[in-house]
Amino acid sequence: MLKKVALIIMILSFSSLQVYSAHTTLLLSSQLLGGGYNFNQESTSFGGKLNLNIIPAVKFGGDHLLIPVYSFEYNGIKDVKELVGGGTLVQQYITNMFYLKSVFKISSKFKIKPKIGATSQIIKETQDEEWTKGLFDYFKTNFNLETEFCFSENTKLSLTPAVYTINFYNYKTLATEKYGQELSVVGKDILNFDAAEISLDFKINKFLSLNTYFVQKNFKDQYLITITGEYSSEKRKDNYGLFGISFNYPIKPLGETSIFSALAFQYAANISNQSHYDVERTKFIKDYYNYNEISFIPQLTFAFNKIPMNLQLNYNVSLRSYSNRPVQDKEGNYLDDKTNSLAQYISMLLSFPLIENLNMFIQQNYLISSSNMKYEQVYRYNYTAYNILVGLSFEY
């Protein structure tokens, strides 16, 4: 379906180019940096990172745009946010992304922006793992259709429905590999899913914005576990929603410094029909993946009027409460309380120009995660992570 949509968009776009005169602008941006990473003050690693974006934007028919985008990223520096939610630490990854976006200006107040794309990511979880053999390597295809309504210079509404599919082509469950057809009902490609999402962004004025987001994930081959520890014929579905409100307020120049402030509040919830069965303790936990999360996100940017330098400070504190996941002690024994976790993310970015189109930056990121969950044989709930990045950014 996505391939058919892509073909139609490309035919329409290039047909339009033949009718109208076109003007092409090449946009390039790149980042090259290196840095170090520390986890729980136990292990330190070093690596590099490279980003490259190529955008040969084409303007045609007056105000219409055709924007093909190619993006490449190699990352050999661990992200401090990687473990949020209990995930795993990866050593390196390579991402290739291509998408084609068109912008059709229907009127002075209405634009349509269809986009179709594909993303491939290959991951090395360990240093000795081979590229393209990673368990969590995936391929993603997506299509979305943004509609933008502009009511005034500072008031704009964007509504974007989208569909996408993700395929973890190397991941197979241990159960099916070990037992073969005997446990085929477990599912083999249990991480693969299709998704439908919709987002709405409403910029009320230059100070206030609202945004909401909803996505439903339909897992293709992951069956629901039952109270007896067996699997039903029904498959997993997850529904995730987010609502946010943000304030932006520029503070007038104070002598040699200008300050720009931003503040955001977010509420998110995940509802899944999948449960969990602890085989070792023969305990069934319904709605294991359901949670509510609130976030508070202030941001300050300092511009030094007599020095070409910017300093950005970010703080993000999020409290996540699992509605039905019981706490466990270090030995794994279940307690009466429900699991909750508090994540605090602090970031500092200092940037300054070296020559035209070339900037240097230094970024530090720090994350503290704490939880009443003490059993961490599978997932990490309590940890600290820190990285520092130093590099160059180029824009043309």
Side-chain angles (χ1 to χ4, degrees):
M1 178 62 183
L2 288 174
K3 291 181 179 179
K4 293 181 179 179
V5 174
L7 182 60
I8 293 171
I9 292 175
M10 293 179 68
I11 292 173
L12 292 175
S13 300
F14 286 107
S15 298
S16 300
L17 291 178
Q18 294 177 355
V19 176
Y20 300 104
S21 59
H23 175 72
T24 302
T25 301
L26 179 62
L27 305 175
L28 299 173
S29 67
S30 181
Q31 284 187 344
L32 176 63
L33 53 93
Y37 173 89
N38 180 270
F39 178 74
N40 262 359
Q41 300 181 348
E42 298 171 357
S43 59
T44 301
S45 61
F46 301 91
K49 185 175 181 178
L50 172 65
N51 291 329
L52 175 64
N53 298 290
I54 303 174
I55 310 173
V58 181
K59 186 175 183 180
F60 62 97
D63 295 319
H64 303 315
L65 292 173
L66 179 65
I67 310 172
V69 176
Y70 170 71
S71 177
F72 169 87
E73 179 182 6
Y74 164 76
N75 194 337
I77 304 174
K78 297 188 183 100
D79 186 354
V80 298
K81 289 187 174 182
E82 189 178 334
L83 276 174
V84 173
T88 59
L89 288 171
V90 302
Q91 296 288 337
Q92 304 172 70
Y93 65 79
I94 294 175
T95 306
N96 285 280
M97 179 182 69
F98 174 80
Y99 68 81
L100 184 65
K101 181 177 182 178
S102 296
V103 180
F104 297 99
K105 186 174 181 180
I106 308 303
S107 69
S108 60
K109 297 184 180 297
F110 181 50
K111 294 179 182 178
I112 298 177
K113 305 175 183 180
K115 183 175 81 171
I116 189 162
T119 302
S120 171
Q121 185 173 90
I122 55 176
I123 298 171
K124 291 181 67 172
E125 290 188 85
T126 60
Q127 290 289 353
D128 58 353
E129 187 175 51
E130 296 181 29
W131 288 111
T132 73
K133 304 295 184 181
L135 196 62
F136 297 101
D137 293 358
Y138 72 85
F139 185 76
K140 174 183 178 181
T141 55
N142 63 282
F143 172 74
N144 62 41
L145 182 63
E146 179 184 354
T147 54
E148 179 185 299
F149 305 88
C150 186
F151 302 103
S152 68
E153 182 180 355
N154 296 311
T155 304
K156 182 174 66 175
L157 176 67
S158 296
L159 180 65
T160 309
V163 292
Y164 63 91
T165 183
I166 293 183
N167 177 22
F168 294 88
Y169 46 85
N170 288 334
Y171 190 96
K172 310 296 177 187
T173 62
L174 295 178
T176 52
E177 289 186 355
K178 183 176 180 180
Y179 298 105
Q181 295 301 314
E182 182 181 352
L183 289 181
S184 60
V185 72
V186 174
K188 188 176 182 181
D189 301 311
I190 65 170
L191 296 185
N192 296 354
F193 64 88
D194 296 324
E197 66 179 28
I198 187 166
S199 62
L200 186 148
D201 295 287
F202 185 27
K203 183 180 179 183
I204 299 174
N205 53 46
K206 63 180 180 180
F207 303 115
L208 179 63
S209 298
L210 303 175
N211 68 286
T212 185
Y213 170 82
F214 173 80
V215 59
Q216 182 181 78
K217 299 178 181 179
N218 297 302
F219 289 80
K220 299 179 180 180
D221 201 29
Q222 184 178 154
Y223 295 90
L224 300 186
I225 195 165
T226 66
I227 194 170
T228 61
E230 299 175 330
Y231 291 87
S232 72
S233 59
E234 188 179 355
K235 296 181 181 179
R236 177 177 175 178
K237 291 183 179 181
D238 284 12
N239 294 288
Y240 175 84
L242 179 146
F243 173 78
I245 180 171
S246 59
F247 305 89
N248 296 279
Y249 185 72
I251 302 174
K252 293 182 179 179
L254 302 173
E256 298 179 356
T257 306
S258 295
I259 305 175
F260 304 88
S261 62
L263 179 62
F265 298 92
Q266 292 181 348
Y267 168 75
N270 189 72
I271 300 175
S272 173
N273 62 350
Q274 182 62 287
S275 300
H276 173 70
Y277 189 83
D278 187 335
V279 177
E280 184 177 350
R281 297 168 183 84
T282 62
K283 184 176 178 63
F284 174 78
I285 304 172
K286 186 175 175 58
D287 303 328
Y288 186 78
Y289 298 95
N290 292 7
Y291 66 81
N292 295 281
E293 185 174 71
I294 55 173
S295 301
F296 172 72
I297 312 167
Q299 177 182 303
L300 288 174
T301 301
F302 299 87
F304 303 97
N305 300 327
K306 293 187 177 181
I307 306 174
M309 181 181 295
N310 289 326
L311 173 64
Q312 186 177 96
L313 302 176
N314 296 286
Y315 178 67
N316 185 332
V317 56
S318 299
L319 176 62
R320 178 179 295 187
S321 300
Y322 290 89
S323 56
N324 205 40
R325 184 181 300 188
V327 170
Q328 295 172 264
D329 62 20
K330 291 184 178 180
E331 286 71 38
N333 301 309
Y334 286 96
L335 307 177
D336 294 333
D337 294 337
K338 297 298 187 288
T339 302
N340 59 64
S341 61
L342 180 70
Q344 299 181 77
Y345 171 71
I346 304 166
S347 175
M348 182 192 75
L349 174 64
L350 180 66
S351 62
F352 51 89
L354 294 179
I355 57 175
E356 185 179 6
N357 301 324
L358 185 65
N359 293 331
M360 184 173 184
F361 65 91
I362 302 171
Q363 183 173 0
Q364 297 183 74
N365 304 297
Y366 188 61
L367 180 68
I368 307 169
S369 178
S370 57
S371 173
N372 59 351
M373 170 68 83
K374 304 306 177 185
Y375 184 70
E376 299 185 310
Q377 297 300 313
V378 179
Y379 296 108
R380 299 297 297 262
Y381 292 87
N382 300 276
Y383 60 89
T384 60
Y386 170 82
N387 69 13
I388 182 169
L389 312 171
V390 180
L392 302 172
S393 63
F394 171 80
E395 293 184 359
Y396 173 76

Short mmCIF file of all heavy atoms in Angstrom, two decimals, residues 310-350:
data_model
loop_
_atom_site.label_atom_id
_atom_site.label_comp_id
_atom_site.label_asym_id
_atom_site.label_seq_id
_atom_site.Cartn_x
_atom_site.Cartn_y
_atom_site.Cartn_z
N ASN A 310 25.87 31.00 22.20
CA ASN A 310 24.58 30.67 22.79
C ASN A 310 24.76 29.55 23.82
O ASN A 310 25.55 28.62 23.61
CB ASN A 310 23.57 30.21 21.74
CG ASN A 310 23.10 31.35 20.86
OD1 ASN A 310 22.98 32.49 21.33
ND2 ASN A 310 22.83 31.05 19.61
N LEU A 311 24.00 29.65 24.90
CA LEU A 311 24.01 28.62 25.94
C LEU A 311 22.57 28.19 26.18
O LEU A 311 21.70 29.02 26.46
CB LEU A 311 24.61 29.17 27.23
CG LEU A 311 24.53 28.24 28.45
CD1 LEU A 311 25.34 26.97 28.22
CD2 LEU A 311 25.00 28.97 29.71
N GLN A 312 22.31 26.88 26.07
CA GLN A 312 20.97 26.35 26.26
C GLN A 312 20.98 25.36 27.42
O GLN A 312 21.80 24.44 27.47
CB GLN A 312 20.47 25.66 24.99
CG GLN A 312 19.02 25.21 25.06
CD GLN A 312 18.56 24.60 23.75
OE1 GLN A 312 18.56 23.38 23.59
NE2 GLN A 312 18.15 25.44 22.81
N LEU A 313 20.04 25.55 28.36
CA LEU A 313 19.91 24.68 29.51
C LEU A 313 18.53 24.02 29.48
O LEU A 313 17.51 24.70 29.32
CB LEU A 313 20.07 25.47 30.81
CG LEU A 313 21.39 26.23 31.00
CD1 LEU A 313 21.35 27.05 32.29
CD2 LEU A 313 22.57 25.26 31.03
N ASN A 314 18.49 22.69 29.63
CA ASN A 314 17.23 21.95 29.61
C ASN A 314 17.13 21.07 30.85
O ASN A 314 18.13 20.50 31.31
CB ASN A 314 17.16 21.04 28.37
CG ASN A 314 17.15 21.82 27.08
OD1 ASN A 314 16.15 22.42 26.72
ND2 ASN A 314 18.27 21.82 26.38
N TYR A 315 15.92 20.98 31.36
CA TYR A 315 15.64 20.08 32.49
C TYR A 315 14.31 19.38 32.21
O TYR A 315 13.33 20.03 31.82
CB TYR A 315 15.57 20.87 33.79
CG TYR A 315 15.23 20.02 35.00
CD1 TYR A 315 16.12 19.06 35.47
CD2 TYR A 315 14.02 20.18 35.67
CE1 TYR A 315 15.83 18.29 36.58
CE2 TYR A 315 13.71 19.41 36.78
CZ TYR A 315 14.62 18.46 37.24
OH TYR A 315 14.31 17.70 38.32
N ASN A 316 14.29 18.09 32.40
CA ASN A 316 13.07 17.31 32.17
C ASN A 316 12.91 16.33 33.32
O ASN A 316 13.76 15.46 33.53
CB ASN A 316 13.16 16.56 30.83
CG ASN A 316 11.88 15.83 30.48
OD1 ASN A 316 11.12 15.42 31.34
ND2 ASN A 316 11.64 15.64 29.19
N VAL A 317 11.83 16.46 34.07
CA VAL A 317 11.55 15.52 35.15
C VAL A 317 10.23 14.82 34.83
O VAL A 317 9.23 15.47 34.53
CB VAL A 317 11.51 16.23 36.52
CG1 VAL A 317 10.51 17.36 36.55
CG2 VAL A 317 11.23 15.21 37.63
N SER A 318 10.25 13.49 34.86
CA SER A 318 9.08 12.69 34.50
C SER A 318 8.80 11.66 35.57
O SER A 318 9.72 10.93 36.01
CB SER A 318 9.30 11.99 33.15
OG SER A 318 9.51 12.92 32.11
N LEU A 319 7.55 11.57 35.98
CA LEU A 319 7.13 10.57 36.96
C LEU A 319 6.20 9.58 36.26
O LEU A 319 5.16 9.95 35.73
CB LEU A 319 6.39 11.23 38.12
CG LEU A 319 5.80 10.27 39.17
CD1 LEU A 319 6.90 9.46 39.85
CD2 LEU A 319 4.98 11.05 40.21
N ARG A 320 6.62 8.32 36.24
CA ARG A 320 5.83 7.27 35.60
C ARG A 320 5.28 6.32 36.67
O ARG A 320 6.04 5.83 37.51
CB ARG A 320 6.67 6.49 34.59
CG ARG A 320 5.94 5.34 33.93
CD ARG A 320 6.80 4.63 32.92
NE ARG A 320 7.16 5.47 31.78
CZ ARG A 320 7.80 5.03 30.71
NH1 ARG A 320 8.17 3.74 30.63
NH2 ARG A 320 8.09 5.85 29.72
N SER A 321 3.98 6.05 36.60
CA SER A 321 3.33 5.14 37.55
C SER A 321 2.67 4.00 36.78
O SER A 321 1.81 4.24 35.92
CB SER A 321 2.28 5.89 38.37
OG SER A 321 2.87 6.94 39.11
N TYR A 322 3.09 2.77 37.07
CA TYR A 322 2.48 1.59 36.45
C TYR A 322 1.23 1.22 37.23
O TYR A 322 1.27 1.03 38.45
CB TYR A 322 3.46 0.44 36.43
CG TYR A 322 4.60 0.64 35.46
CD1 TYR A 322 5.77 1.27 35.87
CD2 TYR A 322 4.50 0.22 34.14
CE1 TYR A 322 6.83 1.47 34.98
CE2 TYR A 322 5.54 0.41 33.25
CZ TYR A 322 6.70 1.04 33.68
OH TYR A 322 7.73 1.24 32.80
N SER A 323 0.12 1.12 36.53
CA SER A 323 -1.17 0.96 37.21
C SER A 323 -1.35 -0.42 37.85
O SER A 323 -2.09 -0.56 38.82
CB SER A 323 -2.31 1.22 36.23
OG SER A 323 -2.20 0.36 35.09
N ASN A 324 -0.63 -1.44 37.34
CA ASN A 324 -0.88 -2.79 37.88
C ASN A 324 0.40 -3.63 37.97
O ASN A 324 0.31 -4.85 38.09
CB ASN A 324 -1.91 -3.52 37.02
CG ASN A 324 -2.65 -4.58 37.80
OD1 ASN A 324 -2.99 -4.37 38.96
ND2 ASN A 324 -2.89 -5.73 37.19
N ARG A 325 1.57 -2.98 37.91
CA ARG A 325 2.83 -3.73 38.01
C ARG A 325 3.34 -3.68 39.45
O ARG A 325 3.78 -2.64 39.94
CB ARG A 325 3.88 -3.15 37.07
CG ARG A 325 5.18 -3.93 37.06
CD ARG A 325 6.22 -3.32 36.14
NE ARG A 325 5.77 -3.27 34.74
CZ ARG A 325 6.56 -2.92 33.72
NH1 ARG A 325 7.83 -2.59 33.95
NH2 ARG A 325 6.07 -2.88 32.49
N PRO A 326 3.30 -4.81 40.16
CA PRO A 326 3.71 -4.80 41.58
C PRO A 326 5.21 -4.64 41.73
O PRO A 326 5.99 -5.07 40.89
CB PRO A 326 3.23 -6.16 42.10
CG PRO A 326 3.19 -7.02 40.88
CD PRO A 326 2.83 -6.14 39.74
N VAL A 327 5.59 -4.01 42.85
CA VAL A 327 7.00 -3.84 43.18
C VAL A 327 7.60 -5.18 43.60
O VAL A 327 6.92 -6.03 44.19
CB VAL A 327 7.14 -2.80 44.32
CG1 VAL A 327 8.56 -2.76 44.86
CG2 VAL A 327 6.73 -1.43 43.82
N GLN A 328 8.89 -5.37 43.30
CA GLN A 328 9.64 -6.54 43.75
C GLN A 328 10.87 -6.08 44.51
O GLN A 328 11.48 -5.05 44.19
CB GLN A 328 10.06 -7.41 42.55
CG GLN A 328 8.90 -8.03 41.79
CD GLN A 328 9.37 -8.72 40.52
OE1 GLN A 328 9.32 -8.14 39.45
NE2 GLN A 328 9.80 -9.96 40.64
N ASP A 329 11.26 -6.86 45.50
CA ASP A 329 12.51 -6.55 46.20
C ASP A 329 13.69 -7.10 45.40
O ASP A 329 13.51 -7.64 44.29
CB ASP A 329 12.48 -7.10 47.63
CG ASP A 329 12.35 -8.63 47.67
OD1 ASP A 329 12.65 -9.29 46.67
OD2 ASP A 329 11.93 -9.15 48.73
N LYS A 330 14.90 -7.00 45.92
CA LYS A 330 16.09 -7.39 45.18
C LYS A 330 16.10 -8.87 44.83
O LYS A 330 16.71 -9.28 43.83
CB LYS A 330 17.34 -7.03 46.00
CG LYS A 330 17.58 -5.53 46.11
CD LYS A 330 18.87 -5.25 46.85
CE LYS A 330 19.13 -3.74 46.92
NZ LYS A 330 20.39 -3.42 47.63
N GLU A 331 15.44 -9.69 45.63
CA GLU A 331 15.39 -11.14 45.37
C GLU A 331 14.26 -11.50 44.43
O GLU A 331 14.14 -12.66 44.03
CB GLU A 331 15.24 -11.90 46.69
CG GLU A 331 16.49 -11.95 47.55
CD GLU A 331 16.81 -10.59 48.17
OE1 GLU A 331 15.84 -9.89 48.55
OE2 GLU A 331 17.99 -10.23 48.24
N GLY A 332 13.40 -10.55 44.12
CA GLY A 332 12.30 -10.81 43.19
C GLY A 332 10.97 -11.09 43.87
O GLY A 332 9.98 -11.36 43.18
N ASN A 333 10.92 -11.01 45.18
CA ASN A 333 9.66 -11.25 45.89
C ASN A 333 8.70 -10.09 45.67
O ASN A 333 9.09 -8.91 45.72
CB ASN A 333 9.93 -11.41 47.40
CG ASN A 333 10.88 -12.55 47.69
OD1 ASN A 333 10.67 -13.67 47.23
ND2 ASN A 333 11.93 -12.27 48.45
N TYR A 334 7.44 -10.41 45.45
CA TYR A 334 6.45 -9.38 45.15
C TYR A 334 5.94 -8.73 46.44
O TYR A 334 5.70 -9.40 47.45
CB TYR A 334 5.27 -9.99 44.38
CG TYR A 334 5.62 -10.30 42.94
CD1 TYR A 334 6.01 -11.59 42.57
CD2 TYR A 334 5.59 -9.31 41.97
CE1 TYR A 334 6.34 -11.88 41.26
CE2 TYR A 334 5.91 -9.59 40.65
CZ TYR A 334 6.30 -10.87 40.30
OH TYR A 334 6.63 -11.16 39.01
N LEU A 335 5.77 -7.39 46.35
CA LEU A 335 5.26 -6.60 47.46
C LEU A 335 3.89 -6.03 47.09
O LEU A 335 3.39 -6.24 45.98
CB LEU A 335 6.25 -5.48 47.80
CG LEU A 335 7.71 -5.94 48.06
CD1 LEU A 335 8.60 -4.74 48.31
CD2 LEU A 335 7.77 -6.93 49.22
N ASP A 336 3.29 -5.28 48.01
CA ASP A 336 1.93 -4.78 47.79
C ASP A 336 1.88 -3.53 46.92
O ASP A 336 0.88 -3.31 46.22
CB ASP A 336 1.25 -4.49 49.13
CG ASP A 336 1.03 -5.76 49.95
OD1 ASP A 336 0.89 -6.83 49.33
OD2 ASP A 336 1.02 -5.66 51.19
N ASP A 337 2.92 -2.70 46.96
CA ASP A 337 2.90 -1.42 46.23
C ASP A 337 3.03 -1.64 44.73
O ASP A 337 3.53 -2.66 44.26
CB ASP A 337 4.02 -0.51 46.72
CG ASP A 337 3.83 -0.07 48.16
OD1 ASP A 337 2.67 -0.09 48.62
OD2 ASP A 337 4.84 0.27 48.82
N LYS A 338 2.58 -0.63 43.97
CA LYS A 338 2.74 -0.63 42.51
C LYS A 338 4.02 0.12 42.13
O LYS A 338 4.47 1.02 42.83
CB LYS A 338 1.53 0.04 41.85
CG LYS A 338 0.22 -0.72 42.09
CD LYS A 338 0.28 -2.12 41.51
CE LYS A 338 -1.07 -2.81 41.60
NZ LYS A 338 -1.41 -3.19 42.97
N THR A 339 4.59 -0.26 40.99
CA THR A 339 5.87 0.29 40.56
C THR A 339 5.72 1.72 40.05
O THR A 339 4.79 2.03 39.30
CB THR A 339 6.47 -0.57 39.43
OG1 THR A 339 6.63 -1.91 39.91
CG2 THR A 339 7.81 -0.03 38.97
N ASN A 340 6.65 2.57 40.45
CA ASN A 340 6.75 3.91 39.87
C ASN A 340 8.22 4.26 39.71
O ASN A 340 9.09 3.68 40.36
CB ASN A 340 6.02 4.96 40.73
CG ASN A 340 6.56 5.04 42.14
OD1 ASN A 340 7.71 5.40 42.36
ND2 ASN A 340 5.73 4.66 43.11
N SER A 341 8.49 5.19 38.83
CA SER A 341 9.88 5.60 38.58
C SER A 341 9.93 7.09 38.30
O SER A 341 8.99 7.68 37.74
CB SER A 341 10.48 4.82 37.41
OG SER A 341 9.75 5.05 36.22
N LEU A 342 11.03 7.70 38.70
CA LEU A 342 11.26 9.13 38.50
C LEU A 342 12.53 9.30 37.68
O LEU A 342 13.60 8.82 38.07
CB LEU A 342 11.40 9.85 39.84
CG LEU A 342 11.63 11.36 39.79
CD1 LEU A 342 10.35 12.07 39.32
CD2 LEU A 342 12.08 11.89 41.15
N ALA A 343 12.42 9.98 36.53
CA ALA A 343 13.57 10.23 35.67
C ALA A 343 13.82 11.73 35.59
O ALA A 343 12.91 12.50 35.30
CB ALA A 343 13.33 9.65 34.27
N GLN A 344 15.07 12.13 35.83
CA GLN A 344 15.46 13.53 35.74
C GLN A 344 16.58 13.66 34.70
O GLN A 344 17.62 13.01 34.82
CB GLN A 344 15.95 14.05 37.09
CG GLN A 344 14.90 14.00 38.17
CD GLN A 344 15.43 14.55 39.48
OE1 GLN A 344 15.56 15.75 39.68
NE2 GLN A 344 15.76 13.63 40.40
N TYR A 345 16.32 14.48 33.70
CA TYR A 345 17.26 14.66 32.59
C TYR A 345 17.72 16.11 32.57
O TYR A 345 16.91 17.04 32.57
CB TYR A 345 16.59 14.29 31.27
CG TYR A 345 17.38 14.64 30.03
CD1 TYR A 345 18.54 13.93 29.70
CD2 TYR A 345 16.98 15.67 29.19
CE1 TYR A 345 19.26 14.24 28.57
CE2 TYR A 345 17.69 15.98 28.05
CZ TYR A 345 18.83 15.27 27.74
OH TYR A 345 19.55 15.57 26.61
N ILE A 346 19.04 16.31 32.59
CA ILE A 346 19.63 17.65 32.58
C ILE A 346 20.58 17.74 31.39
O ILE A 346 21.42 16.86 31.18
CB ILE A 346 20.40 17.92 33.88
CG1 ILE A 346 19.48 17.73 35.10
CG2 ILE A 346 20.96 19.34 33.89
CD1 ILE A 346 20.24 17.65 36.41
N SER A 347 20.44 18.81 30.60
CA SER A 347 21.27 18.97 29.42
C SER A 347 21.78 20.41 29.32
O SER A 347 21.04 21.36 29.62
CB SER A 347 20.48 18.62 28.15
OG SER A 347 21.23 18.88 26.98
N MET A 348 23.02 20.56 28.89
CA MET A 348 23.61 21.87 28.65
C MET A 348 24.29 21.87 27.29
O MET A 348 25.06 20.95 26.97
CB MET A 348 24.64 22.22 29.73
CG MET A 348 25.25 23.62 29.54
SD MET A 348 26.69 23.91 30.59
CE MET A 348 27.96 22.94 29.74
N LEU A 349 23.99 22.86 26.47
CA LEU A 349 24.56 22.96 25.12
C LEU A 349 25.14 24.35 24.93
O LEU A 349 24.44 25.36 25.05
CB LEU A 349 23.50 22.69 24.06
CG LEU A 349 23.91 22.89 22.60
CD1 LEU A 349 25.01 21.91 22.21
CD2 LEU A 349 22.72 22.75 21.67
N LEU A 350 26.44 24.41 24.63
CA LEU A 350 27.13 25.67 24.36
C LEU A 350 27.61 25.65 22.92
O LEU A 350 28.31 24.72 22.50
CB LEU A 350 28.33 25.83 25.30
CG LEU A 350 29.16 27.10 25.15
CD1 LEU A 350 28.35 28.34 25.53
CD2 LEU A 350 30.44 27.02 25.99
#
